């Protein structure tokens, strides 16, 4: 296994950072190759701007067009190119981050904004009567697998089916489906630690064991059954889910996971 | 009306930036006071780190505790303090941003991560048998109203109830409910422009008119009917929605909006 670990926490002694260290040691001990993108340690530039594509102040920035042009001409900045190369090298990608305001920290969002360029992560493939580009199950990163390792401050009950924050699967859907599955990555069920600020050292031992197990069984873990775009489930080009595919009355993000 | 406009687009000639300019001119012409936080123009620091709270390298950063301590002792950085003051000054907050990977650009997420500190936006209020802090309808920013003005690259059909990206209301829920309603802000229905890259100058004239109307009728627009936390709809302390409050089988984020 070739694993890219993408880590986004400012404190090296945090729970997230401990789990990231555990990921590296566990996978290396098992004979796998590992590369780490520790975004805080790398001082990752979070903010996408015209300088990313070599534009000067007189030129109007169009993010999709300009990022695609820079990608195709090899003119992306070295930091972004290095991350795209790591993604192409890896067969497995693991993300470690705390849920801040119900999504990823800005530094990780900025990694997505800058690395997932047009022609690399979107704007890939032909459009015709049976195909609307290569995305949602196809694309540049098809065949790879990813898994999120996430911590929350709040307790689990607030993230369950009737919990006030909304179900964790729905909160993670824009990341797991909208960011990762979009360019073709299969996504394994997430590893979520609730009430992370209140965890004792003893509880951490159990958590560490559970996480090691998740890592060592990744090869036999079933990915989330997101529906593929171009294989009959969606009308083209509206990309609405065809009628009859889900029980009447079912709504929301869950429609896009096969029951 | 005192309006804070928070703007997050790198290109001053973009559709988002044109709408932001229109917001300022429309509200000022109608006699309202306006302040603008143009995050790209301000070179906003997007990445929360230990330096935000004056810690040195030997001290372990705990984001909630340290941001709360800095807030209470007046030790937050000047850029963050200025934004908190603008939020306290405003009765209305308008956000302009493009949807990048189904959520806000990193620079705006970093504004939330750094400005919405503990004791200011979360960690507010008492916990007892009938109250679980002041949040979701109560809190520091209660009584204010916000509205999102958002652009997407994809067409509307892909964001509707059965669209492949997921319903736009669900994609915006973590922002509208999890970030804005959490510290007490009432949220008006969003203004969403689909297929923004394909918009013609003629279409823009209609869009501009529609947006002006939304701005000038904010005072009479009903906010999204998110359920308040401490007024009987949720069990305390689990914060699960009480049984019987929604039709059987209804699931997802929509449970937290009164039907």
């Amino acid at each position: 296994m070739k694993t890219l670990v993408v880590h986004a926490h400012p404190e090296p002694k945090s729970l997230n950072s401990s789990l990231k260290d555990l990921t590296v040691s566990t996978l290396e001990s098992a004979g796998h190759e590992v590369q780490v993108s520790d975004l805080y340690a790398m001082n990752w530039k979070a903010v996408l701007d015209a300088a990313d594509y070599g534009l000067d102040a007189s030129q109007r920035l169009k993010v999709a067009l300009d990022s695609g042009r820079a990608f195709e001409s090899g003119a992306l900045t070295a930091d972004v190119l290095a991350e795209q190369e790591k993604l192409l090298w890896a067969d497995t990608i693991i993300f470690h981050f705390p849920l801040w305001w119900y999504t990823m920290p800005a530094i990780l969002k900025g990694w997505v904004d800058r690395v997932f360029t047009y022609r690399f992560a979107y704007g890939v493939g032909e459009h015709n009567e049976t195909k609307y580009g290569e995305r949602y199950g196809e694309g540049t990163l098809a065949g790879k697998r990813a898994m999120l390792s996430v911590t929350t401050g709040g307790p689990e009950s607030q993230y369950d089916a009737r919990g006030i924050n909304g179900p964790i699967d729905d909160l993670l859907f824009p990341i797991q489906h909208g960011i990762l599955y979009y360019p073709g990555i299969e996504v394994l069920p997430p590893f979520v630690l609730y009430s992370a600020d209140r965890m004792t050292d003893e509880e951490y031992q159990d958590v560490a064991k559970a996480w090691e197990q998740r890592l060592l069984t990744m090869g036999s873990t079933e990915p989330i059954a997101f529906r593929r775009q171009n294989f009959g489930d969606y009308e083209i080009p509206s990309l609405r889910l065809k009628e009859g595919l889900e029980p009447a009355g079912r709504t929301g993000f869950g429609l896009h996971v096969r029951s």
Side-chain angles (χ1 to χ4, degrees), chain A:
Chain A
M1 217 159 72
K2 293 175 180 171
T3 302
L4 171 61
V5 176
V6 182
H7 177 55
H9 198 289
E11 172 51 59
K13 298 195 186 95
S14 65
L15 176 58
N16 274 279
S17 297
S18 299
L19 288 172
K20 177 264 295 176
D21 293 340
L22 183 60
T23 299
V24 176
S25 61
T26 302
L27 292 177
E28 287 184 342
S29 298
H32 302 300
E33 291 176 75
V34 181
Q35 292 194 69
V36 179
S37 292
D38 182 341
L39 301 183
Y40 271 93
M42 293 157 72
N43 197 23
W44 178 258
K45 174 181 183 279
V47 175
L48 180 160
D49 59 22
D52 286 336
Y53 315 121
L55 302 187
D56 66 43
S58 71
Q59 292 169 291
R60 177 170 170 175
L61 169 64
K62 297 194 170 187
V63 175
L65 278 175
D66 289 314
S67 73
R69 195 178 296 142
F71 172 73
E72 289 181 328
S73 65
L76 288 169
T77 56
D79 59 347
V80 168
L81 271 177
E83 297 307 302
Q84 291 187 342
E85 279 163 21
K86 289 179 201 171
L87 283 166
L88 294 172
W89 166 85
D91 50 45
T92 310
I93 308 132
I94 293 174
F95 293 87
H96 287 281
F97 62 93
L99 213 61
W100 284 354
W101 294 103
Y102 305 112
T103 185
M104 48 176 63
I107 198 170
L108 180 53
K109 181 62 191 351
W111 181 87
V112 175
D113 289 346
R114 296 183 60 236
V115 174
F116 278 38
T117 66
Y118 197 64
R119 299 300 185 203
F120 177 75
Y122 66 112
V124 174
E126 303 284 307
H127 287 65
N128 57 44
E129 280 171 27
T130 60
K131 191 168 168 176
Y132 189 93
E134 289 171 8
R135 55 176 210 167
Y136 291 122
E138 298 173 282
T140 302
L141 303 178
K144 302 175 188 297
R145 315 178 114 210
M147 178 160 61
L148 306 186
S149 172
V150 174
T151 57
T152 77
E156 185 165 7
S157 63
Q158 300 183 15
Y159 290 90
D160 73 17
R162 297 178 71 81
I164 193 167
N165 298 335
I168 190 72
D169 288 344
D170 285 352
L171 291 166
L172 296 179
F173 182 89
I175 299 173
Q176 298 189 140
H177 179 266
I179 293 173
L180 297 173
Y181 191 61
Y182 190 108
I185 303 172
E186 295 283 347
V187 184
L188 305 185
F191 183 76
V192 183
L193 293 179
Y194 299 95
S195 303
D197 292 338
R198 290 178 199 80
M199 189 169 297
T200 64
D201 288 347
E202 277 182 4
E203 287 167 334
Y204 179 74
Q205 299 309 315
D206 292 336
V207 161
K209 264 181 221 158
W211 177 236
E212 279 179 294
Q213 272 310 104
R214 288 295 306 272
L215 288 169
L216 295 172
T217 54
M218 282 183 73
S220 58
T221 302
E222 279 296 309
I224 300 169
F226 291 130
R227 294 176 181 278
R228 301 204 291 167
Q229 176 182 274
N230 295 323
F231 294 80
D233 287 356
Y234 295 92
E235 307 283 356
I236 291 179
S238 77
L239 295 182
R240 287 189 186 92
L241 186 66
K242 288 181 179 169
E243 294 299 331
L245 280 178
E246 290 290 334
R250 191 162 174 188
T251 57
F253 293 149
L255 286 179
H256 305 288
V257 181
R258 292 188 304 276
S259 11

